[in-house]
Amino acid sequence: MLIVMKTDATVAQVEAVVRVIEALGFRAHPMPGTSRTAIGITGNQGAVDATHFENLPGVSEAVRVSKPYKLVTLDIRSEKTIVQVGDATIGGDELAIIAGPCAIETRDQAFAVAEAVRRSGAKFFRGGAFKPRTSPYAFQGLGEAGLKILEEIRETYGLKIVTEALDEAGVDLVERYADVIQIGARSMQNFTLLRRAGKSRLPVLLKRGLSATLDEWLLAAEYIMSEGNYQIVLCERGIRTFAQHTRNTLDLSAVPAVRRISHLPVIVDPSHGTGKNYMVTPLARAGVAVGADGLIIEVHSQPDHALCDGAQALTLDQYEQLVSEVRAIHDVIVPATVT
Ligand code: PEP
Ligand code: MN
């Protein structure tokens, strides 16, 4: 159920509705918007009786929710969510660029890339300290030592740090050193991890699972939101198909599909979405053209020597070129308001 408040409802009236929801043993999720506040209810097993709310002061209507998700949808919040990370945003007018190596390998490698990322004007630096690898024998990341390098990069360049947590203990660590918790494609349905991220004060970058439908992906976001963390960025990173010319098939139609249902920002990952260096820039351009709020790009100072995902890493020069191209496209389409 969704309680829609009147446009002139007061804060006290919203609080009174929240108290009624809590007294019933449920959780209230007030979502203020520019024209009105709506309050989502979670924690109920069956239908909630609308008569609890209909006559409360300030309530416009109590709406039964027929979709499987309640908090990610435009029904509860018609304006787009702008995820705020310090002085940077994802989902606002600015194109968010998150760039860096697949994995933090050494201090020198990470700093060489970070310097180029800073120079490009991007505000976010990515790099895995905990890597979800297909083989247990592949490089697994530097762990906390990698997070310490990321923290140094944040202090040196003022870049916001985006890094993956593989499990609940990983979230504890990422919270200490970084600005955004990445939940990887392989973890998209790790429900205990999603719930833990939902209790965090840090925004979450939620990648689409390798074979996730739109509903499954949005329900993963719903897990996080149902715990009270509403700062989520969805990331389309390609899905498994029969195609052999790419590592994954980058499903750019996911961007307008998400937009139609959800207020959450959505970004595109053309690095994992293609797996091939020469395809990253063309698909990054396409991602921006289709209306993505940002891009996440893998960059390496020496892709040939990368310990992880070297085939899809851009060189520093290629990355600089990509940024100028996608910015030019973004400048053209923003006034046109892509929907
Ligand atoms: C990554 O960003 O390096 C990564 C492992 O991504 P994904 O979860 O999309 O495979
Ligand atoms: Mn990678």
Side-chain angles (χ1 to χ4, degrees):
M1 174 142 311
L2 184 62
I3 312 300
V4 181
M5 302 300 290
K6 292 181 179 155
T7 49
D8 60 355
T10 63
V11 173
Q13 288 170 340
V14 171
E15 283 169 0
V17 174
V18 167
R19 279 197 298 276
V20 171
I21 294 168
E22 288 172 352
L24 289 165
F26 308 140
R27 182 162 186 162
H29 301 266
M31 300 269 171
T34 45
S35 61
R36 48 107 170 131
T37 292
I39 308 167
I41 302 176
T42 61
N44 54 303
Q45 294 300 329
V48 180
D49 186 353
T51 55
H52 290 298
F53 307 101
E54 276 165 355
N55 298 320
L56 293 178
V59 171
S60 167
E61 55 177 337
V63 185
R64 206 167 290 294
V65 179
S66 56
K67 301 193 182 91
Y69 21 71
K70 306 178 182 190
L71 304 175
V72 300
T73 65
L74 291 164
D75 298 339
I76 190 160
R77 192 185 152 87
S78 56
E79 300 107 61
K80 241 170 79 180
T81 289
I82 299 177
V83 171
Q84 191 80 40
V85 191
D87 61 350
T89 56
I90 306 176
D93 290 340
E94 206 180 343
L95 180 70
I97 297 179
I98 306 168
C102 179
I104 302 303
E105 299 169 7
T106 65
R107 192 176 177 282
D108 285 353
Q109 167 250 14
F111 268 76
V113 181
E115 207 270 322
V117 171
R118 179 70 207 130
R119 201 165 359 103
S120 75
K123 298 209 170 134
F124 298 89
F125 186 74
R126 62 147 292 147
F130 299 100
K131 294 306 304 176
R133 303 306 300 279
T134 302
S135 164
Y137 309 119
F139 176 60
Q140 306 284 311
L142 297 180
E144 189 166 1
L147 293 176
K148 287 184 174 156
I149 294 172
L150 286 167
E151 185 184 42
E152 254 192 271
I153 285 172
R154 172 164 67 179
E155 277 161 19
T156 308
Y157 298 107
L159 291 162
K160 312 284 179 258
I161 304 298
V162 180
T163 195
E164 180 160 357
L166 292 177
D167 49 31
E168 293 165 89
V171 176
D172 295 343
L173 281 169
V174 168
E175 281 177 331
R176 288 229 288 276
Y177 297 100
D179 301 292
V180 177
I181 305 163
Q182 180 173 325
I183 295 189
R186 290 156 193 81
S187 301
M188 191 207 80
Q189 285 191 317
N190 179 339
F191 300 113
T192 49
L193 176 62
L194 296 173
R195 285 200 190 280
R196 171 65 186 85
K199 294 190 171 81
S200 180
R201 63 184 165 79
L202 293 189
V204 179
L205 176 67
L206 178 65
K207 290 200 157 193
R208 181 179 179 185
L210 272 69
S211 62
T213 63
L214 189 62
D215 272 1
E216 288 164 342
W217 187 19
L218 292 173
L219 283 167
E222 187 81 21
Y223 261 92
I224 299 168
M225 290 190 83
S226 69
E227 295 293 338
N229 187 349
Y230 310 131
Q231 296 276 290
I232 302 171
V233 180
L234 298 167
C235 176
E236 165 57 42
R237 51 78 71 204
I239 48 169
R240 276 286 163 82
T241 70
F242 53 80
Q244 291 172 323
H245 60 287
T246 50
R247 181 180 179 190
N248 294 290
T249 297
L250 187 62
D251 176 15
L252 290 177
S253 69
V255 175
V258 166
R259 196 66 95 234
R260 176 163 282 226
I261 300 173
S262 177
H263 52 82
L264 295 174
V266 55
I267 68 166
V268 163
D269 175 351
S271 304
H272 296 86
T274 64
K276 304 217 187 278
N277 172 290
Y278 79 95
M279 291 187 184
V280 172
T281 298
L283 272 294
R285 290 194 297 252
V288 175
V290 84
D293 295 297
L295 296 169
I296 180 165
I297 307 287
E298 288 192 348
V299 188
H300 201 287
S301 47
Q302 291 178 291
D304 296 349
H305 293 90
L307 296 180
C308 186
D309 287 352
Q312 67 198 33
L314 296 189
T315 63
L316 304 185
D317 287 348
Q318 288 171 331
Y319 165 69
E320 194 184 329
Q321 177 68 21
L322 174 147
V323 171
S324 71
E325 292 182 19
V326 296
R327 286 237 168 87
I329 295 168
H330 188 254
D331 288 348
V332 173
I333 64 167
V334 160
T337 318
V338 176
T339 48

